[in-house]
Amino acid sequence: MRYPEGGGLTAERRAFREGIRLQAGVRFAAGEKTAVIARDLRVSVRSVERWRRAWREGGMEGLRSAGPANFPTVTDAQFAVLEEELGKGLTAHGFEDERWTLARVQAVIRRRLRVSVSVATVWRLLKRHGWSWQAPARRALERDEHAVEVEEGGVAAGKSAAAASGAWIVFEDEAGFSMTPPRARTWGRRGHTPVIRVRGRSRRRTSVAALCCYKPGEKSRLIHRPRTHLLLKGTRKSFSWKDYRDLLVRAHIQLDGPIVVVWDNLNTHLAAGLKRYEAEHGWLTTIRLPAYAPDLNPVEAVWSLVRRAMANTAFGTPDDLDRVLRRELRRIQLRPHLIDGCLTATGLTVAPPTPP
């Protein structure tokens, strides 16, 4: 933002600029040339010419500051009403999509507040009250918000049980990566769109299952297991329940303690063999996340970090893809604060047990 509070100059800057103009007015009266005044005052010739016209029309008073620029004619109380209207969503105001633009906000101000303002004024008004241009987050239509709130309580109870028993709270998720990398914005000459050369068709895909492990008083850990497979007919394209079992055993060995696993309702997670293995081993406890609630899983943020680092990368061979995946996952493993930040993004916390 160029100016404080969304627009206009501060009182000090207005006084400073007024002083420059008054100096120029004194030199106008002395008959000095425009070019000389512009050079001495270190301003443009065009500005001096504009000041000279104002001096001829109004004298020295014509060079004085007219005060701060006009602020939007929407008061704080009116903006509170506007925020309430915007919070109702665009469908409530007759729009089909969920995309607030300056013109649409301008229309709402005109309809609800009976105030006419320009698009530029709407931009300054929103900026001044903490609004910004953002990419919206996606939520599934099938998501049950009430069920999410209830399940959040279940996750919290699982965390409390883990803390009380000295267990690790472990979040699990899996993701697939192909030879075609995600796209990200890059600088380029205007009129010439940058081009990234990628494989038009690749039959190679790598899946990764990862665990974000948390325990009060311990450094956060990231444990992952890759699986490389070809997209051929008849071959398995995902992890089996035995793969998940082996990953949990590996985590139990590395963490050297019991674990409470939090994961979604994937069919493989509900396999009878995995349930039987859990019942036979006391160090393993599982908790289910609600449906369509990836925002409660910190591993989703890990995938975002990995994909951000892989953006616009032209993979020549499958080995290049595997090398970049290993490198980025290792980078996150060596930085526990990144793993902690992934948990913070979910709104969940891991607190130490309350002493008796």
Side-chain angles (χ1 to χ4, degrees):
M1 191 175 293
R2 184 178 177 185
Y3 299 123
E5 299 182 359
L9 297 172
T10 62
E12 293 77 8
R13 291 298 299 176
R14 287 197 301 272
F16 173 78
R17 293 193 178 190
E18 181 185 64
I20 296 294
R21 294 194 296 271
L22 293 178
Q23 293 180 39
V26 174
R27 302 182 73 164
F28 294 155
E32 296 189 25
K33 295 183 177 180
T34 297
V36 175
I37 298 175
R39 184 186 66 245
D40 293 346
L41 297 182
R42 303 181 67 180
V43 296
S44 66
V45 173
R46 182 175 297 181
S47 295
V48 177
E49 291 175 347
R50 186 172 66 253
W51 298 344
R52 189 184 290 276
R53 288 194 298 270
W55 175 76
R56 287 172 181 169
E57 295 174 0
M60 297 297 287
E61 290 299 322
L63 298 176
R64 295 191 179 278
S65 174
N70 292 330
F71 288 102
T73 55
V74 177
T75 64
D76 291 343
Q78 288 177 318
F79 188 82
V81 176
L82 175 62
E83 280 191 311
E84 183 178 352
E85 293 294 330
L86 297 181
K88 295 178 181 178
L90 285 102
T91 55
H93 295 279
F95 301 107
E96 295 182 355
D97 57 29
E98 292 291 334
R99 187 168 61 96
W100 281 117
T101 63
L102 294 177
R104 291 179 175 184
V105 176
Q106 179 190 38
V108 174
I109 293 176
R110 184 170 58 251
R111 296 172 189 169
R112 295 293 186 265
L113 304 183
R114 305 297 182 184
V115 176
S116 296
V117 294
S118 66
V119 171
T121 298
V122 174
W123 182 87
R124 290 194 297 269
L125 181 68
L126 294 177
K127 280 283 187 178
R128 183 173 295 112
H129 288 83
W131 286 61
S132 62
W133 182 256
Q134 304 176 34
R138 290 182 177 179
R139 288 282 174 85
L141 290 173
E142 299 86 351
R143 176 181 168 116
D144 186 347
E145 296 295 341
H146 176 69
V148 170
E149 294 179 1
V150 172
E151 291 295 336
E152 281 187 9
V155 173
K159 292 190 304 177
S160 301
S165 62
W168 287 77
I169 183 76
V170 176
F171 293 86
E172 190 278 338
D173 193 48
E174 55 284 326
F177 299 89
S178 68
M179 296 284 290
T180 304
R183 287 187 298 174
R185 294 180 181 271
T186 180
W187 286 101
R189 191 154 56 92
R190 183 171 297 175
H192 296 76
T193 303
V195 176
I196 304 297
R197 299 291 180 182
V198 299
R199 293 282 183 182
R201 182 180 181 185
S202 174
R203 302 185 67 84
R204 171 70 178 271
R205 184 170 176 269
T206 299
S207 296
V208 181
L211 305 174
C212 281
C213 312
Y214 304 95
K215 183 179 179 180
E218 300 285 348
K219 288 185 178 180
S220 300
R221 306 277 291 276
L222 175 65
I223 301 174
H224 62 87
R225 184 185 186 92
R227 177 187 173 89
T228 303
H229 51 262
L230 298 176
L231 300 181
L232 298 177
K233 185 177 181 179
T235 59
R236 186 177 181 87
K237 300 178 177 59
S238 61
F239 288 89
S240 66
W241 74 267
K242 293 182 180 179
D243 294 324
Y244 289 116
R245 178 201 60 190
D246 296 342
L247 177 61
L248 296 179
V249 171
R250 177 181 172 185
H252 174 55
I253 295 173
Q254 290 190 19
L255 299 176
D256 192 23
I259 59 176
V260 176
V261 182
V262 182
W263 53 16
D264 55 25
N265 293 286
L266 185 69
N267 290 338
T268 314
H269 296 163
L270 303 175
L274 200 55
K275 290 183 177 180
R276 185 167 56 252
Y277 184 84
E278 176 187 355
E280 295 173 353
H281 296 78
W283 55 266
L284 177 60
T285 305
T286 60
I287 298 176
R288 312 295 175 187
L289 284 171
Y292 303 101
D295 50 303
L296 298 181
N297 196 333
V299 187
E300 293 286 349
V302 172
W303 303 141
S304 297
L305 293 175
V306 174
R307 289 192 171 95
R308 186 184 307 169
M310 295 172 56
N312 295 359
T313 302
F315 299 112
T317 65
D319 291 338
D320 293 336
L321 173 62
D322 294 340
R323 175 179 53 81
V324 173
L325 277 174
R326 289 194 303 268
R327 182 192 68 196
E328 294 306 319
L329 290 170
R330 181 59 177 168
R331 181 179 65 87
I332 299 174
Q333 283 180 323
L334 296 177
R335 293 166 174 81
H337 67 277
L338 292 179
I339 308 174
D340 291 335
C342 294
L343 179 65
T344 303
T346 66
L348 302 174
T349 58
V350 177
T354 305

